[in-house]
């Protein structure tokens, strides 16, 4: 009984190693062929189908906020203070 369990455990372990090796070698081959992008974190990004192009009009600079009251903020927020930062704005109403 112990021998049978040992054989099954070894077989599963070897199968797991083979699957992991196949997956990593496939990702490495795709990355080296230039078909996919590999991020610094090691994440493989598959290519997109076709080129993604969005032609948006240039609307100029955004106007400054004119709010007197700001919720969940220590003070007034201006666009000039946020320049160069990633900002998430959520607009909502009580209606």
């Amino acid at each position: 009984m112990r021998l049978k369990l040992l054989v099954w455990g070894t077989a599963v372990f070897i199968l797991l190693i083979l699957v992991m090796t196949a997956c990593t070698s496939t990702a490495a081959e795709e990355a080296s062929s230039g078909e996919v992008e590999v991020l610094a974190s090691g994440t493989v990004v598959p290519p997109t189908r076709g080129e993604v192009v969005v032609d948006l009009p240039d609307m100029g600079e955004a106007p400054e906020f004119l709010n007197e009251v700001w919720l969940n903020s220590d003070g007034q927020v201006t666009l000039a203070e946020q320049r160069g930062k990633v900002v998430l704005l959520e607009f909502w109403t009580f209606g």
Side-chain angles (χ1 to χ4, degrees):
M1 182 66 177
R2 283 185 168 178
L3 181 62
K4 198 177 208 182
L5 185 61
L6 181 64
V7 169
W8 276 105
T10 304
V12 168
F13 178 74
I14 290 173
L15 182 62
L16 181 65
I17 295 297
L18 289 174
V19 168
M20 289 175 54
T21 304
C23 289
T24 56
S25 65
T26 303
E29 289 171 6
E30 288 176 353
S32 65
S33 68
E35 295 177 10
V36 298
E37 179 183 357
V38 179
L39 303 178
S41 62
T43 305
V44 177
V45 180
T48 58
R49 295 183 185 189
E51 187 175 334
V52 177
V53 177
V54 178
D55 189 22
L56 299 175
D58 184 3
M59 303 296 286
E61 291 186 9
E64 195 60 60
F65 296 122
L66 301 176
N67 294 25
E68 296 291 326
V69 178
W70 290 87
L71 300 177
N72 298 328
S73 177
D74 294 334
Q76 189 172 0
V77 178
T78 64
L79 288 178
E81 293 173 345
Q82 307 308 316
R83 187 169 307 278
K85 299 177 183 176
V86 176
V87 179
L88 173 67
L89 296 177
E90 182 179 4
F91 296 95
W92 52 276
T93 66
F94 290 106

